[in-house]
Amino acid sequence: AGIHMNGQIVLCKGWNDGKELEYSISKLEHYMPVLESVSVVPVGLTKYREGLEQLAPFTKEDACEVIDLIEKWQRVFYEKYGIHGIHASDEWYLLAERFLPEEERYDGYLQLENGVGMLRLLETEFLEALEVLPGDKKKRELSMATGRLAAPVIEKLAGLLNKKYPNTNIHVYAIRNEFFGERITVSGLLTGQDLKKQLTDQNLGERLLLPCNLLKSGETIFLDDMTVDELETALQTTVNIVKSSGQALAEAMLLEDKAEHLHTNEVNKYE
């Protein structure tokens, strides 16, 4: 009927990966190009799995195989339909320790909400913002906490900013997810109690930056119902919630006034 669609495959090791993934992709091709994109994401395995099917986490080798398969089909689809069609989420590239795809391969970032291209877009926007910023020698010290998955990318961006702002010192903390289990490495599933426990007695500088996807939609509350105010009190520091753009991150790292403070209602647009 000409209805444009976007899909997602949640990959479970030993169940729908390998030949089954190839079969799924080949069948989904019948719906292209009105099926504009399909994301492939690894299943999230929490520690709360009593009585559930035993599922194994993916390894670096597994991630490489998934990426190779998807990129093979991307070349086929682009030649046939002018779109890449099937996309591996950022997690696969980080797990495989491979470079993220170039911006053009994301077809306009159709799958951002499923974690496809978020880090590429963040880096692109960050570098664009950094290029036009004037640079200075003002002393700044601050911190940022995020999930273990994104921490290396944030550290890289902080290092690039430090070259232009040599007296800006940014501490990046990768938070273990003890609440849901350490196999959960994305920032969006971190809780207030894990932040509190792991950041207590750490050098947080003038303020702590947190990505907006840690909070419930439209609220200043973490998934475990701890509020941002409570975290501020516990850590005895100012907490700034940073919007999801690279420009917002660069401004927040420079302690610019444009950075969103925790008491704003603007976070309701982000999950």
Side-chain angles (χ1 to χ4, degrees), residues 20 31-32 38 49 74-75 79 91 96-97 111 114-115 119 150 164-165 168 180 188 204 217 227 254-255 260:
E20 293 297 331
Y31 301 98
M32 293 184 177
V38 177
R49 295 193 53 78
Q74 284 184 334
R75 293 189 288 270
E79 184 175 339
E91 294 169 77
E97 298 180 1
Q111 290 273 355
N114 287 331
L119 295 178
K164 195 165 188 176
Y165 295 85
T168 296
F180 288 109
L204 302 179
S217 179
T227 68
L254 296 174
L255 307 181
E260 293 294 330

Side-chain angles (χ1 to χ4, degrees), residues 27-82:
K27 289 300 181 181
L28 288 168
E29 182 185 1
H30 298 313
Y31 301 98
M32 293 184 177
V34 292
L35 178 60
E36 297 178 317
S37 69
V38 177
S39 62
V40 179
V41 304
V43 64
L45 299 175
T46 74
K47 65 183 181 181
Y48 302 104
R49 295 193 53 78
E50 184 177 351
L52 299 179
E53 183 65 41
Q54 293 298 311
L55 295 176
F58 287 99
T59 65
K60 177 181 177 179
E61 182 181 13
D62 297 329
C64 291
E65 291 177 359
V66 170
I67 292 170
D68 289 343
L69 178 60
I70 288 174
E71 291 186 343
K72 179 191 77 173
W73 279 97
Q74 284 184 334
R75 293 189 288 270
V76 172
F77 293 155
Y78 191 76
E79 184 175 339
K80 287 185 177 181
Y81 310 108

Side-chain angles (χ1 to χ4, degrees), residues 101-122:
E102 61 280 6
E103 188 171 25
E104 293 75 19
R105 212 167 352 135
Y106 288 107
D107 295 339
Y109 296 110
L110 298 172
Q111 290 273 355
L112 277 178
E113 292 183 4
N114 287 331
V116 176
M118 290 183 68
L119 295 178
R120 168 57 68 204
L121 181 59
L122 179 71

